[in-house]
Amino acid sequence: MVGIVIVSHSKKLAAGVEELAQQMVQGAVRSAIAAGIDDPENPFGTDAMQIYHAIESVYSDEGVVVLMDLGSAILSAEMALEFLQEDQRDKVRLCEAPLVEGTIAAVVQAANGANIEQVLAEARGSLAAKTAQLSGFVGVTHTVPLQLSNVEVEQASKEIYLSVQNQMGLHARPAAKFVATASRFQSDITLRNVTVTSESVNAKSINQVITLGVHQGDEIAIAAAGNDATEALAALQQLVVSNFGETISQSLAANPLPETLTAANGQLWGIPASPGIAIGPVILYQPAVAEVTEHLGDNPQESWQQLQDAIATACQELQTLRHQVAEQVGEEEATIFDAHLLCLSDPAIVEAARQRIFDYTLDAVSAWKVVVARTVRSYEALKDPYLKARAADVRDVGQRVLRLLTGVASTPLDFKQPAILVATDLTPSETAHLNPRKVLGICMIAGGATSHSGILARSLGIPAVVGVDAELLGLENGTVIALDGETGQVWVQPEEAELRDLQTQRDRQRHVQQEQRTAAQQPAVTQDGRSIKVVANIGGVADAQVALDNGAEGVGLLRSEFLYFDRESLPTEEEQLEQYEAIASILSPHPLIIRTLDIGGDKPLSYLNVAPEPNPFLGWRGIRCLLDCPDILKTQLRAILRTTHKYPIKVMFPMIACLKEIRAAKEILATAQAELYRAGIPFNESMEVGMMVEVPAAVAMAEKLAAEVDFFSIGTNDLSQYVMASDRTNPKVATLADAFEPAVLRMIQQTIQAARHRGIWVGVCGELASSPLAAPILVGLGVDELSINPPAIGAVKASVGRLRIENAQAIAHEVLQLNSAEAVREYVAKNARGSTT
Ligand code: PEP
Ligand code: MG
């Protein structure tokens, strides 16, 4: 039977609650109290050791539920868990239910022979009846007690309910954005996963937010109390409805791969984490772990200072690492370290460690270790494999600080010879430091495909299998193994025939990769000699080199809004100039098209404090914001113009729907030019000026608009959503916004015809251009330039290279007559020469 422990500051209170509860079940349940302290002067308090003994006295394998009153009772109970054996600790659960109601419910349920989960559930629901009876109404604005990590406040609070729609819910990156946004406001803010629990957590704590386990489709309640509560809720609402700024590809990147862990005769199977075949000698990696035994400190102030210093140094190290990863791997991968940095400022960790130093006089090392261990356990207890894998991140950050506190250096992962790394676990920081030329492959005992180490291995192009049987750790250094990061298979000392077979497969893979890389560096020319310019879509400096490495002949779309995000205020003219010059100098002599700021829709700019709109995609976005804030546009145009005398730069305006808008934008450009001219600042007076065609009205007016600009760039992402009247971010209808729909293709044809008529050139920069299957249609319709995602360049160039213009024109002509996007895809796949996938 489950045992019950009652913890209170007051012995009388605990004894009374126990008596009341036992009287309901005629003393049938094993219970114990841990209450008060041994100080006749001040008997109120709690003692971790006393709680530990109480747990021991009622312990059985069926488990123990501990109920507490408040404040330090919770800390003492958490501390008591640290004294238990590992296997016992897993069976003891602290219950957040109110002491009186919760204890009675728990005791009654335990007496019925319920298991520990049922006892906990009953205790947690014990307030429901009282709430139903006493609460007047539940509305959008009402009073709720905010349960923050260590504070309890009760004040007027506003609450909103939202549904989380991004693919992975509040996993590390969205959670980091959520916490960063909440932290900008002074109000106390809590978050509740309405779908799962009635428990609220501190919205400014990364660990509490993540461990809430919010998944796609869950309803959340965000409550804020304070002077800026309304603004805070608006900003958080904007973040949630914009799917945390996640693009579909980012969402998919976070999508867990199937977990297929089985061991079979001689060969091992793990979870495929990064594709590719690797063959080589093993190097076993043993990380330097700072081993710590708990000590009491004699100077809490000094211990606290030591901990703060170590945290500050750890933050600096992480900033440097983040910078390196952003430069070498990519901005998206670097955001992993943002979550690490947030951990280091998380009140659930830092404040808890501070309390252990001052309330229990633990030294800095012990306090930090205890708090990190508890946080790691709470992640490991989660069912969701993605969230569970976040335990590795907290452990990584925890070890970093511990190493700084104890002076234990981290083991360098520097190989003399190329080898396969076998490790129990690799932290994201360790993985980020790996040299892909030396590390042929990675085999990890721990981990899941969505661990950040797995994500980084994929970005570094190192084949990896994770979750492999621990017997691998028994191998001698130098033993030859092979792994296939696509199937998850691992061979230990493969037989000769097998080895030859694997080597052939590996060499074939390398050959195909090499071929694609080489093709990507060649111009895209059709069989009959027509050149199509293939350029890249990028978001900032870090992407420019990546674009070139992938074979881009310049940039057809710099989404300049990304230079405005992740900061507190608008970038100045000088800051922008620096960024544009940095990008242009990497690309030089290739051209760069800068699209002016395109915010709104799913890209809110938080510091402009724009009130949430009912229809953001039909609202204040793109050129509409810029014309309402001419100074923002003029500053950006001045920065762009100042880059033009050195580099081949073009500018284009987003979301143009009518002549009035393009003319107004050009007027602001003329003002910026006049100002520079008067100030004697050099710029290229004949810089090409273009516009995005992404609103159906612009297509209808394309003939007239073409007279105003030097080029059109067709944004098929927005054009599809507006033509098909389906929000591109709403999963329920987003598939309707398919650029392969004949309706959208006809709009593209109309735009190209108008441009031809007026003698201007046309590019396509929406996602359609990144599809090798769309290349025959777009080339057949007559586009001059395709601006695409860098990784797709090789395949699109290859698709163009297989075409004959006549054939492409016939395909384009035919698909415009078809009935659906599916029919179009099918037709192209069948009729374009060679493989187009
Ligand atoms: C588009 O709409 O197709 C486009 C390229 O712009 P964005 O995706 O940035 O809205
Ligand atoms: Mg667009």
Side-chain angles (χ1 to χ4, degrees):
M1 187 185 293
V2 175
I4 308 290
V5 168
I6 303 156
V7 179
S8 170
H9 284 67
S10 152
K11 213 175 200 124
K12 282 191 192 149
L13 175 61
V17 172
E18 186 183 34
E19 191 183 353
L20 187 62
Q22 287 289 10
Q23 173 255 328
M24 310 247 173
V25 295
Q26 284 84 44
V29 174
R30 291 201 308 165
S31 66
I33 66 168
I37 49 170
D38 212 5
D39 178 358
E41 294 285 292
N42 180 15
F44 296 112
T46 55
D47 172 6
M49 212 29 126
Q50 214 189 108
I51 301 172
Y52 163 69
H53 288 307
I55 294 172
E56 289 264 271
S57 73
V58 296
Y59 182 83
S60 76
D61 278 351
E62 289 183 64
V64 177
V65 170
V66 182
L67 294 115
M68 303 131 276
D69 55 16
L70 69 179
S72 68
I74 304 167
L75 287 175
S76 301
E78 284 176 337
M79 188 81 176
L81 294 192
E82 307 298 332
F83 301 142
L84 292 165
Q85 305 289 338
E86 187 95 29
D87 55 333
Q88 281 188 328
R89 197 185 293 142
D90 293 342
K91 296 189 178 122
V92 178
R93 308 284 291 277
L94 305 187
C95 178
E96 68 280 15
L99 187 68
V100 179
E101 291 85 349
T103 305
I104 292 171
V107 165
V108 170
Q109 196 67 15
N112 291 339
N115 65 30
I116 192 159
E117 294 304 333
Q118 292 163 328
V119 172
L120 278 167
E122 195 62 22
R124 283 176 182 143
S126 61
L127 264 189
K130 209 180 200 177
T131 311
Q133 194 171 342
L134 298 181
S135 68
F137 66 97
V138 179
V140 172
T141 303
H142 58 111
T143 299
V144 290
L146 292 181
Q147 307 247 306
L148 301 184
S149 55
N150 297 302
V151 212
E152 281 192 12
V153 280
E154 188 151 336
Q155 54 180 299
S157 150
K158 295 180 174 151
E159 192 169 30
I160 52 171
Y161 290 82
L162 297 166
S163 163
V164 171
Q165 287 306 334
N166 64 314
Q167 178 128 359
M168 291 297 290
L170 272 177
H171 64 82
R173 274 174 265 184
K177 284 188 184 168
F178 190 91
V179 170
T181 306
S183 304
R184 292 209 321 264
F185 298 93
Q186 298 202 316
S187 294
D188 292 322
I189 306 172
T190 61
L191 173 67
R192 186 156 49 95
N193 185 349
V194 179
T195 312
V196 178
T197 170
S198 58
E199 180 197 358
S200 292
V201 301
N202 183 354
K204 297 177 184 174
S205 158
I206 182 76
N207 292 300
Q208 291 190 13
V209 168
I210 293 184
T211 48
L212 207 49
V214 176
H215 291 92
Q216 186 181 33
D218 282 355
E219 202 189 339
I220 56 172
I222 310 170
N227 295 339
D228 51 7
T230 309
E231 293 79 10
L233 290 179
L236 290 165
Q237 176 173 18
Q238 184 72 310
L239 187 68
V240 176
V241 297
S242 69
N243 285 339
F244 305 90
E246 269 184 29
T247 60
I248 292 170
S249 64
Q250 281 167 335
S251 252
L252 290 177
N255 198 12
L257 299 173
E259 305 230 350
T260 51
L261 182 62
T262 40
N265 5 305
Q267 287 176 10
L268 299 165
W269 290 85
I271 301 163
S274 173
I277 290 180
I279 306 166
V282 159
I283 286 204
L284 286 174
Y285 171 62
Q286 306 287 354
V289 175
E291 281 302 337
V292 179
T293 39
E294 270 141 54
H295 288 292
L296 293 180
D298 40 21
N299 186 341
Q301 198 50 51
E302 199 181 302
S303 297
W304 175 227
Q305 193 54 49
Q306 280 168 353
L307 182 59
Q308 283 177 299
D309 292 347
I311 290 175
T313 312
C315 279
Q316 278 165 9
E317 288 182 1
L318 283 167
Q319 304 270 23
T320 313
L321 197 57
R322 189 198 187 289
H323 183 71
Q324 278 169 6
V325 173
E327 297 271 296
Q328 290 161 14
V329 186
E331 182 56 32
E332 196 184 323
E333 287 72 16
T335 56
I336 290 168
F337 297 101
D338 290 339
H340 284 203
L341 282 161
L342 275 174
C343 257
L344 289 178
S345 57
D346 189 333
I349 293 192
V350 181
E351 179 54 26
R354 195 190 71 81
Q355 284 186 1
R356 276 164 172 78
I357 289 172
F358 285 97
D359 295 355
Y360 298 101
T361 54
L362 284 186
D363 66 358
V365 173
S366 312
W368 182 252
K369 187 190 146 195
V370 164
V371 172
V372 168
R374 190 192 60 173
T375 313
V376 166
R377 271 203 306 281
S378 56
Y379 277 101
E380 284 174 342
L382 297 173
K383 286 206 182 76
D384 182 316
Y386 190 87
L387 295 178
K388 222 180 167 107
R390 302 284 75 75
D393 296 335
V394 179
R395 208 180 285 118
D396 189 1
V397 177
Q399 277 297 324
R400 183 177 293 281
V401 174
L402 276 186
R403 279 197 298 265
L404 288 165
L405 284 168
T406 56
V408 175
S410 65
T411 320
L413 264 166
D414 214 4
F415 293 7
K416 304 240 162 355
Q417 297 298 328
I420 293 183
L421 180 65
V422 173
T424 304
D425 199 359
L426 282 179
T427 65
S429 340
E430 285 163 340
T431 314
H433 277 122
L434 296 179
N435 176 353
R437 266 178 304 209
K438 292 281 176 59
V439 183
L440 301 170
I442 300 171
C443 237
M444 248 160 52
I445 311 310
T450 52
S451 64
H452 281 137
S453 297
I455 295 170
L456 282 170
R458 284 200 284 282
S459 310
L460 289 164
I462 304 177
V465 178
V466 300
V468 191
D469 197 283
E471 73 182 70
L472 221 54
L473 294 174
L475 295 179
E476 295 278 325
N477 272 334
T479 313
V480 172
I481 67 166
L483 65 91
D484 184 343
E486 212 143 348
T487 61
Q489 206 167 356
V490 180
W491 296 260
V492 179
Q493 291 183 309
E495 289 179 0
E496 217 166 290
E498 209 156 39
L499 193 60
R500 267 201 309 276
D501 196 32
L502 283 165
Q503 275 162 345
T504 316
Q505 279 185 52
R506 181 198 57 191
D507 295 345
R508 202 182 308 131
Q509 276 179 3
R510 285 184 180 168
H511 184 69
V512 171
Q513 280 166 359
Q514 190 50 44
E515 249 184 9
Q516 275 190 349
R517 266 198 293 270
T518 320
Q521 295 304 329
Q522 307 300 319
V525 184
T526 62
Q527 300 270 317
D528 43 0
R530 162 110 193 262
S531 286
I532 303 293
K533 204 163 174 104
V534 179
V535 287
N537 295 345
I538 65 168
V541 184
D543 306 336
Q545 190 57 48
V546 177
L548 292 184
D549 293 345
N550 278 282
E553 298 152 27
V555 162
L557 167 63
L558 166 64
R559 288 185 161 100
S560 68
E561 50 277 11
F562 286 98
L563 311 177
Y564 290 68
F565 296 148
D566 289 333
R567 32 182 310 139
E568 306 278 307
S569 58
L570 289 162
T572 61
E573 183 179 321
E574 295 304 321
E575 282 172 328
Q576 293 188 55
L577 176 64
E578 196 184 308
Q579 295 284 319
Y580 301 145
E581 283 198 335
I583 296 170
S585 72
I586 293 171
L587 297 174
S588 180
H590 298 296
L592 163 64
I593 301 181
I594 304 177
R595 176 176 73 185
T596 57
L597 182 63
D598 184 16
I599 48 167
D602 60 347
K603 289 179 288 192
L605 194 56
S606 53
Y607 48 85
L608 286 191
N609 285 328
V610 180
E613 297 177 294
N615 288 306
F617 278 109
L618 299 182
W620 203 61
R621 62 171 303 213
I623 196 69
R624 303 165 189 186
C625 310
L626 293 175
L627 295 180
D628 285 348
C629 307
D631 286 344
I632 297 181
L633 177 58
K634 198 176 69 180
T635 304
Q636 182 174 29
L637 289 171
R638 282 177 58 106
I640 294 171
L641 283 166
R642 286 172 64 188
T643 326
T644 56
H645 72 290
K646 286 203 220 145
Y647 300 104
I649 308 274
K650 302 169 190 156
V651 73
M652 65 180 178
F653 298 102
M655 281 288 291
I656 299 287
C658 53
L659 275 160
K660 203 167 59 187
E661 286 173 340
I662 187 68
R663 287 181 182 157
K666 279 169 55 187
E667 242 168 67
I668 296 172
L669 176 65
T671 312
Q673 284 170 323
E675 281 179 9
L676 294 180
Y677 189 76
R678 277 199 299 276
I681 299 171
F683 64 94
N684 175 5
E685 287 172 36
S686 47
M687 171 185 69
E688 281 189 41
V689 178
M691 59 168 269
M692 301 270 301
V693 176
E694 48 187 348
V695 179
V699 179
M701 296 297 282
E703 282 270 350
K704 289 188 185 288
L705 288 165
E708 299 287 330
V709 290
D710 299 309
F711 65 93
F712 281 158
S713 184
I714 305 177
T716 54
N717 308 338
D718 278 317
L719 187 58
S720 312
Q721 75 162 343
Y722 294 130
V723 170
M724 301 304 293
S726 53
D727 182 342
R728 67 197 253 193
T729 60
N730 179 345
K732 287 203 190 97
V733 296
T735 50
L736 250 184
D738 186 338
F740 279 91
E741 279 293 340
V744 181
L745 297 177
R746 287 176 186 215
M747 290 270 175
I748 297 175
Q749 181 203 35
Q750 220 174 307
T751 309
I752 296 173
Q753 279 175 352
R756 287 275 160 274
H757 207 218
R758 291 281 180 174
I760 65 168
W761 65 269
V762 191
V764 176
C765 65
E767 284 301 299
L768 182 69
S770 299
S771 161
L773 209 54
I777 308 175
L778 296 176
V779 171
L781 289 174
V783 293
D784 303 282
E785 180 179 285
L786 298 170
S787 190
I788 64 191
N789 288 329
I793 291 175
V796 169
K797 280 189 173 182
S799 176
V800 171
R802 286 190 289 267
L803 291 173
R804 296 191 75 80
I805 289 295
E806 222 176 279
N807 180 232
Q809 282 170 343
I811 290 175
H813 178 77
E814 280 305 317
V815 295
L816 293 184
Q817 312 310 318
L818 296 175
N819 295 340
S820 65
E822 295 76 46
V824 171
R825 284 196 176 83
E826 213 171 290
Y827 184 87
V828 181
K830 264 201 211 128
N831 292 281
R833 263 171 56 81
S835 155
T836 47
T837 47

